[in-house]
Amino acid sequence: MKLVQRHIIKTSHLFYKEIDNLAWRSKNLYNYANYLVRQSLINQGKYLNNTAIFHLVKQHQSYTALPRKVSNQVLIVLHRNWKSFLEAEKAYSQDPSKFNGRPKLPKYKGIAVCPFRVTPGKVA
């Protein structure tokens, strides 16, 4: 069992602008890394694992703007999403009757959806 806390920060909150900026950077990092993985898979037929993604994005401004451990957490979430897609694609090719349709590529995060994950001890 995982213990989870969810905090809803209103626009009037003292730290709203800072948290909003971090969430925006997190979304940009996720989308940029997702774009790189998509292009690699579509054009070269090769999946970029978590280490390869890290080396491609470590100089990106959204990666450097976030605390390192938070940036890495965003990349881990992306890797988990792609791993799940590839496993579903493999299962679909073996037995399509288990699915309602073909599995879809992981999507980009929209303007309203800003994944920002902080775990204990991650942010100084």
Side-chain angles (χ1 to χ4, degrees), residues 21-22 24-30 32 57-68 70-71 74:
N21 182 43
L22 291 174
W24 181 74
R25 297 267 187 198
S26 174
K27 173 194 64 88
N28 287 348
L29 176 62
Y30 182 92
Y32 178 67
V57 302
K58 66 183 174 183
Q59 299 301 324
H60 193 264
Q61 67 184 26
S62 290
Y63 184 87
T64 57
L66 291 168
R68 289 274 184 233
V70 174
S71 296
V74 171

PDB file of all heavy atoms in Angstrom, residues 21-22 24-30 32 57-68 70-71 74:
ATOM      1  N   ASN A  21       4.834  27.235 -12.066  1.00  0.00           N
ATOM      2  CA  ASN A  21       5.998  27.236 -12.942  1.00  0.00           C
ATOM      3  C   ASN A  21       6.681  25.866 -12.953  1.00  0.00           C
ATOM      4  O   ASN A  21       7.071  25.360 -14.012  1.00  0.00           O
ATOM      5  CB  ASN A  21       6.992  28.321 -12.518  1.00  0.00           C
ATOM      6  CG  ASN A  21       8.184  28.398 -13.421  1.00  0.00           C
ATOM      7  OD1 ASN A  21       8.072  28.325 -14.640  1.00  0.00           O
ATOM      8  ND2 ASN A  21       9.356  28.533 -12.829  1.00  0.00           N
ATOM      9  N   LEU A  22       6.820  25.245 -11.789  1.00  0.00           N
ATOM     10  CA  LEU A  22       7.440  23.919 -11.712  1.00  0.00           C
ATOM     11  C   LEU A  22       6.586  22.869 -12.438  1.00  0.00           C
ATOM     12  O   LEU A  22       7.123  21.992 -13.131  1.00  0.00           O
ATOM     13  CB  LEU A  22       7.663  23.517 -10.261  1.00  0.00           C
ATOM     14  CG  LEU A  22       8.735  24.304  -9.507  1.00  0.00           C
ATOM     15  CD1 LEU A  22       8.736  23.907  -8.043  1.00  0.00           C
ATOM     16  CD2 LEU A  22      10.101  24.118 -10.121  1.00  0.00           C
ATOM     17  N   TRP A  24       4.573  23.478 -14.934  1.00  0.00           N
ATOM     18  CA  TRP A  24       4.692  23.783 -16.360  1.00  0.00           C
ATOM     19  C   TRP A  24       6.001  23.216 -16.912  1.00  0.00           C
ATOM     20  O   TRP A  24       6.038  22.620 -17.986  1.00  0.00           O
ATOM     21  CB  TRP A  24       4.613  25.299 -16.547  1.00  0.00           C
ATOM     22  CG  TRP A  24       4.691  25.739 -17.962  1.00  0.00           C
ATOM     23  CD1 TRP A  24       3.716  25.633 -18.916  1.00  0.00           C
ATOM     24  CD2 TRP A  24       5.808  26.376 -18.589  1.00  0.00           C
ATOM     25  NE1 TRP A  24       4.164  26.160 -20.091  1.00  0.00           N
ATOM     26  CE2 TRP A  24       5.451  26.624 -19.923  1.00  0.00           C
ATOM     27  CE3 TRP A  24       7.069  26.750 -18.141  1.00  0.00           C
ATOM     28  CZ2 TRP A  24       6.309  27.232 -20.815  1.00  0.00           C
ATOM     29  CZ3 TRP A  24       7.916  27.363 -19.038  1.00  0.00           C
ATOM     30  CH2 TRP A  24       7.544  27.598 -20.354  1.00  0.00           C
ATOM     31  N   ARG A  25       7.093  23.395 -16.164  1.00  0.00           N
ATOM     32  CA  ARG A  25       8.396  22.848 -16.584  1.00  0.00           C
ATOM     33  C   ARG A  25       8.338  21.316 -16.626  1.00  0.00           C
ATOM     34  O   ARG A  25       8.915  20.693 -17.524  1.00  0.00           O
ATOM     35  CB  ARG A  25       9.490  23.282 -15.622  1.00  0.00           C
ATOM     36  CG  ARG A  25       9.713  24.747 -15.581  1.00  0.00           C
ATOM     37  CD  ARG A  25      10.764  25.146 -16.526  1.00  0.00           C
ATOM     38  NE  ARG A  25      11.062  26.558 -16.334  1.00  0.00           N
ATOM     39  CZ  ARG A  25      11.690  27.266 -17.225  1.00  0.00           C
ATOM     40  NH1 ARG A  25      12.101  26.720 -18.343  1.00  0.00           N
ATOM     41  NH2 ARG A  25      11.928  28.538 -17.011  1.00  0.00           N
ATOM     42  N   SER A  26       7.669  20.739 -15.658  1.00  0.00           N
ATOM     43  CA  SER A  26       7.531  19.294 -15.611  1.00  0.00           C
ATOM     44  C   SER A  26       6.783  18.785 -16.838  1.00  0.00           C
ATOM     45  O   SER A  26       7.187  17.791 -17.464  1.00  0.00           O
ATOM     46  CB  SER A  26       6.795  18.910 -14.328  1.00  0.00           C
ATOM     47  OG  SER A  26       6.521  17.551 -14.295  1.00  0.00           O
ATOM     48  N   LYS A  27       5.712  19.464 -17.204  1.00  0.00           N
ATOM     49  CA  LYS A  27       4.946  19.098 -18.391  1.00  0.00           C
ATOM     50  C   LYS A  27       5.795  19.227 -19.639  1.00  0.00           C
ATOM     51  O   LYS A  27       5.797  18.352 -20.514  1.00  0.00           O
ATOM     52  CB  LYS A  27       3.705  19.976 -18.512  1.00  0.00           C
ATOM     53  CG  LYS A  27       2.934  19.776 -19.811  1.00  0.00           C
ATOM     54  CD  LYS A  27       1.925  20.873 -20.066  1.00  0.00           C
ATOM     55  CE  LYS A  27       2.513  22.210 -20.270  1.00  0.00           C
ATOM     56  NZ  LYS A  27       2.876  22.541 -21.647  1.00  0.00           N
ATOM     57  N   ASN A  28       6.558  20.312 -19.747  1.00  0.00           N
ATOM     58  CA  ASN A  28       7.409  20.517 -20.918  1.00  0.00           C
ATOM     59  C   ASN A  28       8.480  19.436 -21.032  1.00  0.00           C
ATOM     60  O   ASN A  28       8.770  18.956 -22.129  1.00  0.00           O
ATOM     61  CB  ASN A  28       8.062  21.896 -20.877  1.00  0.00           C
ATOM     62  CG  ASN A  28       7.078  22.999 -21.182  1.00  0.00           C
ATOM     63  OD1 ASN A  28       5.971  22.744 -21.640  1.00  0.00           O
ATOM     64  ND2 ASN A  28       7.471  24.222 -20.922  1.00  0.00           N
ATOM     65  N   LEU A  29       9.058  19.067 -19.918  1.00  0.00           N
ATOM     66  CA  LEU A  29      10.071  18.008 -19.918  1.00  0.00           C
ATOM     67  C   LEU A  29       9.458  16.687 -20.358  1.00  0.00           C
ATOM     68  O   LEU A  29      10.022  15.973 -21.188  1.00  0.00           O
ATOM     69  CB  LEU A  29      10.699  17.873 -18.528  1.00  0.00           C
ATOM     70  CG  LEU A  29      11.702  16.740 -18.365  1.00  0.00           C
ATOM     71  CD1 LEU A  29      12.894  16.936 -19.293  1.00  0.00           C
ATOM     72  CD2 LEU A  29      12.155  16.657 -16.918  1.00  0.00           C
ATOM     73  N   TYR A  30       8.300  16.349 -19.812  1.00  0.00           N
ATOM     74  CA  TYR A  30       7.610  15.116 -20.179  1.00  0.00           C
ATOM     75  C   TYR A  30       7.314  15.101 -21.675  1.00  0.00           C
ATOM     76  O   TYR A  30       7.598  14.118 -22.362  1.00  0.00           O
ATOM     77  CB  TYR A  30       6.307  14.980 -19.381  1.00  0.00           C
ATOM     78  CG  TYR A  30       5.549  13.715 -19.669  1.00  0.00           C
ATOM     79  CD1 TYR A  30       5.752  12.580 -18.896  1.00  0.00           C
ATOM     80  CD2 TYR A  30       4.640  13.643 -20.714  1.00  0.00           C
ATOM     81  CE1 TYR A  30       5.066  11.403 -19.158  1.00  0.00           C
ATOM     82  CE2 TYR A  30       3.956  12.470 -20.988  1.00  0.00           C
ATOM     83  CZ  TYR A  30       4.169  11.368 -20.212  1.00  0.00           C
ATOM     84  OH  TYR A  30       3.489  10.196 -20.479  1.00  0.00           O
ATOM     85  N   TYR A  32       8.703  16.882 -24.142  1.00  0.00           N
ATOM     86  CA  TYR A  32       9.921  16.876 -24.944  1.00  0.00           C
ATOM     87  C   TYR A  32      10.520  15.463 -24.993  1.00  0.00           C
ATOM     88  O   TYR A  32      10.867  14.968 -26.075  1.00  0.00           O
ATOM     89  CB  TYR A  32      10.936  17.870 -24.371  1.00  0.00           C
ATOM     90  CG  TYR A  32      12.249  17.890 -25.104  1.00  0.00           C
ATOM     91  CD1 TYR A  32      12.333  18.344 -26.420  1.00  0.00           C
ATOM     92  CD2 TYR A  32      13.414  17.452 -24.490  1.00  0.00           C
ATOM     93  CE1 TYR A  32      13.538  18.350 -27.098  1.00  0.00           C
ATOM     94  CE2 TYR A  32      14.626  17.460 -25.162  1.00  0.00           C
ATOM     95  CZ  TYR A  32      14.686  17.916 -26.463  1.00  0.00           C
ATOM     96  OH  TYR A  32      15.875  17.919 -27.128  1.00  0.00           O
ATOM     97  N   VAL A  57      18.148  14.620 -22.736  1.00  0.00           N
ATOM     98  CA  VAL A  57      17.430  15.771 -22.177  1.00  0.00           C
ATOM     99  C   VAL A  57      18.157  16.471 -21.035  1.00  0.00           C
ATOM    100  O   VAL A  57      17.684  17.497 -20.552  1.00  0.00           O
ATOM    101  CB  VAL A  57      16.005  15.391 -21.704  1.00  0.00           C
ATOM    102  CG1 VAL A  57      15.187  14.806 -22.821  1.00  0.00           C
ATOM    103  CG2 VAL A  57      16.033  14.472 -20.518  1.00  0.00           C
ATOM    104  N   LYS A  58      19.309  15.965 -20.620  1.00  0.00           N
ATOM    105  CA  LYS A  58      19.952  16.525 -19.427  1.00  0.00           C
ATOM    106  C   LYS A  58      20.378  17.987 -19.589  1.00  0.00           C
ATOM    107  O   LYS A  58      20.568  18.676 -18.602  1.00  0.00           O
ATOM    108  CB  LYS A  58      21.123  15.669 -18.981  1.00  0.00           C
ATOM    109  CG  LYS A  58      22.286  15.615 -19.933  1.00  0.00           C
ATOM    110  CD  LYS A  58      23.354  14.679 -19.397  1.00  0.00           C
ATOM    111  CE  LYS A  58      24.458  14.494 -20.409  1.00  0.00           C
ATOM    112  NZ  LYS A  58      25.448  13.538 -19.927  1.00  0.00           N
ATOM    113  N   GLN A  59      20.492  18.485 -20.800  1.00  0.00           N
ATOM    114  CA  GLN A  59      20.835  19.888 -21.029  1.00  0.00           C
ATOM    115  C   GLN A  59      19.607  20.746 -21.359  1.00  0.00           C
ATOM    116  O   GLN A  59      19.727  21.953 -21.535  1.00  0.00           O
ATOM    117  CB  GLN A  59      21.853  20.006 -22.178  1.00  0.00           C
ATOM    118  CG  GLN A  59      23.158  19.295 -21.888  1.00  0.00           C
ATOM    119  CD  GLN A  59      23.854  19.815 -20.639  1.00  0.00           C
ATOM    120  OE1 GLN A  59      23.820  20.998 -20.346  1.00  0.00           O
ATOM    121  NE2 GLN A  59      24.482  18.911 -19.895  1.00  0.00           N
ATOM    122  N   HIS A  60      18.437  20.129 -21.455  1.00  0.00           N
ATOM    123  CA  HIS A  60      17.201  20.866 -21.781  1.00  0.00           C
ATOM    124  C   HIS A  60      16.848  21.811 -20.638  1.00  0.00           C
ATOM    125  O   HIS A  60      17.025  21.488 -19.472  1.00  0.00           O
ATOM    126  CB  HIS A  60      16.067  19.872 -22.033  1.00  0.00           C
ATOM    127  CG  HIS A  60      14.864  20.475 -22.649  1.00  0.00           C
ATOM    128  ND1 HIS A  60      13.801  20.890 -21.910  1.00  0.00           N
ATOM    129  CD2 HIS A  60      14.556  20.741 -23.936  1.00  0.00           C
ATOM    130  CE1 HIS A  60      12.867  21.376 -22.716  1.00  0.00           C
ATOM    131  NE2 HIS A  60      13.313  21.292 -23.957  1.00  0.00           N
ATOM    132  N   GLN A  61      16.343  22.977 -20.972  1.00  0.00           N
ATOM    133  CA  GLN A  61      16.079  23.989 -19.946  1.00  0.00           C
ATOM    134  C   GLN A  61      15.035  23.540 -18.933  1.00  0.00           C
ATOM    135  O   GLN A  61      15.126  23.904 -17.757  1.00  0.00           O
ATOM    136  CB  GLN A  61      15.671  25.309 -20.577  1.00  0.00           C
ATOM    137  CG  GLN A  61      14.336  25.282 -21.302  1.00  0.00           C
ATOM    138  CD  GLN A  61      14.038  26.592 -21.987  1.00  0.00           C
ATOM    139  OE1 GLN A  61      14.934  27.332 -22.332  1.00  0.00           O
ATOM    140  NE2 GLN A  61      12.768  26.859 -22.189  1.00  0.00           N
ATOM    141  N   SER A  62      14.054  22.764 -19.329  1.00  0.00           N
ATOM    142  CA  SER A  62      13.059  22.286 -18.363  1.00  0.00           C
ATOM    143  C   SER A  62      13.661  21.264 -17.414  1.00  0.00           C
ATOM    144  O   SER A  62      13.267  21.187 -16.256  1.00  0.00           O
ATOM    145  CB  SER A  62      11.857  21.682 -19.089  1.00  0.00           C
ATOM    146  OG  SER A  62      11.130  22.693 -19.734  1.00  0.00           O
ATOM    147  N   TYR A  63      14.617  20.480 -17.888  1.00  0.00           N
ATOM    148  CA  TYR A  63      15.277  19.513 -17.006  1.00  0.00           C
ATOM    149  C   TYR A  63      16.126  20.226 -15.960  1.00  0.00           C
ATOM    150  O   TYR A  63      16.112  19.884 -14.787  1.00  0.00           O
ATOM    151  CB  TYR A  63      16.151  18.540 -17.821  1.00  0.00           C
ATOM    152  CG  TYR A  63      16.777  17.470 -16.970  1.00  0.00           C
ATOM    153  CD1 TYR A  63      16.088  16.294 -16.716  1.00  0.00           C
ATOM    154  CD2 TYR A  63      18.029  17.624 -16.408  1.00  0.00           C
ATOM    155  CE1 TYR A  63      16.633  15.303 -15.917  1.00  0.00           C
ATOM    156  CE2 TYR A  63      18.591  16.642 -15.610  1.00  0.00           C
ATOM    157  CZ  TYR A  63      17.889  15.483 -15.369  1.00  0.00           C
ATOM    158  OH  TYR A  63      18.432  14.513 -14.571  1.00  0.00           O
ATOM    159  N   THR A  64      16.869  21.231 -16.385  1.00  0.00           N
ATOM    160  CA  THR A  64      17.761  21.927 -15.467  1.00  0.00           C
ATOM    161  C   THR A  64      17.013  22.872 -14.529  1.00  0.00           C
ATOM    162  O   THR A  64      17.511  23.185 -13.448  1.00  0.00           O
ATOM    163  CB  THR A  64      18.847  22.709 -16.234  1.00  0.00           C
ATOM    164  OG1 THR A  64      18.209  23.621 -17.134  1.00  0.00           O
ATOM    165  CG2 THR A  64      19.744  21.771 -17.008  1.00  0.00           C
ATOM    166  N   ALA A  65      15.815  23.324 -14.933  1.00  0.00           N
ATOM    167  CA  ALA A  65      15.045  24.239 -14.094  1.00  0.00           C
ATOM    168  C   ALA A  65      14.407  23.530 -12.903  1.00  0.00           C
ATOM    169  O   ALA A  65      14.177  24.151 -11.862  1.00  0.00           O
ATOM    170  CB  ALA A  65      13.964  24.936 -14.919  1.00  0.00           C
ATOM    171  N   LEU A  66      14.134  22.258 -13.051  1.00  0.00           N
ATOM    172  CA  LEU A  66      13.541  21.481 -11.963  1.00  0.00           C
ATOM    173  C   LEU A  66      14.647  20.903 -11.090  1.00  0.00           C
ATOM    174  O   LEU A  66      15.771  20.705 -11.560  1.00  0.00           O
ATOM    175  CB  LEU A  66      12.717  20.322 -12.536  1.00  0.00           C
ATOM    176  CG  LEU A  66      11.443  20.682 -13.279  1.00  0.00           C
ATOM    177  CD1 LEU A  66      10.923  19.460 -14.016  1.00  0.00           C
ATOM    178  CD2 LEU A  66      10.402  21.211 -12.324  1.00  0.00           C
ATOM    179  N   PRO A  67      14.338  20.606  -9.823  1.00  0.00           N
ATOM    180  CA  PRO A  67      15.321  19.870  -9.016  1.00  0.00           C
ATOM    181  C   PRO A  67      15.625  18.528  -9.702  1.00  0.00           C
ATOM    182  O   PRO A  67      14.739  17.913 -10.296  1.00  0.00           O
ATOM    183  CB  PRO A  67      14.600  19.653  -7.690  1.00  0.00           C
ATOM    184  CG  PRO A  67      13.576  20.734  -7.627  1.00  0.00           C
ATOM    185  CD  PRO A  67      13.157  20.984  -9.047  1.00  0.00           C
ATOM    186  N   ARG A  68      16.863  18.080  -9.644  1.00  0.00           N
ATOM    187  CA  ARG A  68      17.307  16.884 -10.373  1.00  0.00           C
ATOM    188  C   ARG A  68      16.442  15.655 -10.090  1.00  0.00           C
ATOM    189  O   ARG A  68      16.072  14.932 -11.008  1.00  0.00           O
ATOM    190  CB  ARG A  68      18.742  16.528 -10.002  1.00  0.00           C
ATOM    191  CG  ARG A  68      19.730  17.454 -10.532  1.00  0.00           C
ATOM    192  CD  ARG A  68      20.149  17.077 -11.937  1.00  0.00           C
ATOM    193  NE  ARG A  68      21.192  18.016 -12.291  1.00  0.00           N
ATOM    194  CZ  ARG A  68      21.193  18.745 -13.376  1.00  0.00           C
ATOM    195  NH1 ARG A  68      20.240  18.618 -14.250  1.00  0.00           N
ATOM    196  NH2 ARG A  68      22.141  19.597 -13.609  1.00  0.00           N
ATOM    197  N   VAL A  70      13.408  15.490  -9.089  1.00  0.00           N
ATOM    198  CA  VAL A  70      12.067  15.651  -9.650  1.00  0.00           C
ATOM    199  C   VAL A  70      12.113  15.427 -11.160  1.00  0.00           C
ATOM    200  O   VAL A  70      11.244  14.764 -11.732  1.00  0.00           O
ATOM    201  CB  VAL A  70      11.486  17.035  -9.298  1.00  0.00           C
ATOM    202  CG1 VAL A  70      10.154  17.259  -9.992  1.00  0.00           C
ATOM    203  CG2 VAL A  70      11.325  17.177  -7.794  1.00  0.00           C
ATOM    204  N   SER A  71      13.136  15.969 -11.815  1.00  0.00           N
ATOM    205  CA  SER A  71      13.302  15.759 -13.259  1.00  0.00           C
ATOM    206  C   SER A  71      13.427  14.274 -13.568  1.00  0.00           C
ATOM    207  O   SER A  71      12.818  13.774 -14.516  1.00  0.00           O
ATOM    208  CB  SER A  71      14.540  16.485 -13.773  1.00  0.00           C
ATOM    209  OG  SER A  71      14.413  17.863 -13.619  1.00  0.00           O
ATOM    210  N   VAL A  74      10.108  12.522 -13.386  1.00  0.00           N
ATOM    211  CA  VAL A  74       9.297  12.743 -14.591  1.00  0.00           C
ATOM    212  C   VAL A  74       9.718  11.753 -15.677  1.00  0.00           C
ATOM    213  O   VAL A  74       8.874  11.144 -16.348  1.00  0.00           O
ATOM    214  CB  VAL A  74       9.426  14.198 -15.094  1.00  0.00           C
ATOM    215  CG1 VAL A  74       8.779  14.369 -16.454  1.00  0.00           C
ATOM    216  CG2 VAL A  74       8.812  15.160 -14.091  1.00  0.00           C
TER     217      VAL A  74
END
